[in-house]
Amino acid sequence: LVLRKKPGGKILPSAHSVEREHAVLSGLAKAGQVPVPRPLALCTDASVLGTPFYLMSYVQVGGRGWHVMAMSRFMRTILLAL
């Protein structure tokens, strides 16, 4: 799994919009025309990790096809809590 989150500290409201990234990846994944990591969950509650974040599958570039890494127990717990 890959966790993408906004950086901590003061940023412009439109900068590092993980909500927008998640929406774009979701749309591309549903269209099926472009190989992208599979978006798994979006959390906009900043009290969880300090900033909004989303989880997506890990994509290994090169080799054959796409590879999704197995979830660690910690990440599985976070994902199930969302």
Side-chain angles (χ1 to χ4, degrees):
L1 283 179
V2 175
L3 184 143
R4 292 268 300 149
K5 70 181 215 65
K6 293 184 180 190
K10 200 169 201 170
I11 59 172
L12 295 173
S14 63
H16 305 284
S17 177
V18 295
E19 301 88 348
R20 182 177 53 230
E21 288 179 20
H22 183 270
V24 169
L25 280 178
S26 294
L28 289 171
K30 285 179 187 169
Q33 300 297 313
V34 179
V36 295
R38 188 169 39 105
L40 302 171
L42 171 66
C43 178
T44 57
D45 182 354
S47 70
V48 177
L49 290 180
T51 68
F53 67 95
Y54 69 94
L55 296 170
M56 63 182 163
S57 62
Y58 173 80
V59 177
Q60 183 176 346
V61 179
R64 292 185 173 188
W66 301 96
H67 177 69
V68 178
M69 299 296 290
M71 282 190 266
S72 70
R73 188 178 319 168
F74 172 73
M75 294 309 291
R76 195 170 20 254
T77 302
I78 289 176
L79 183 58
L80 292 174
L82 297 178

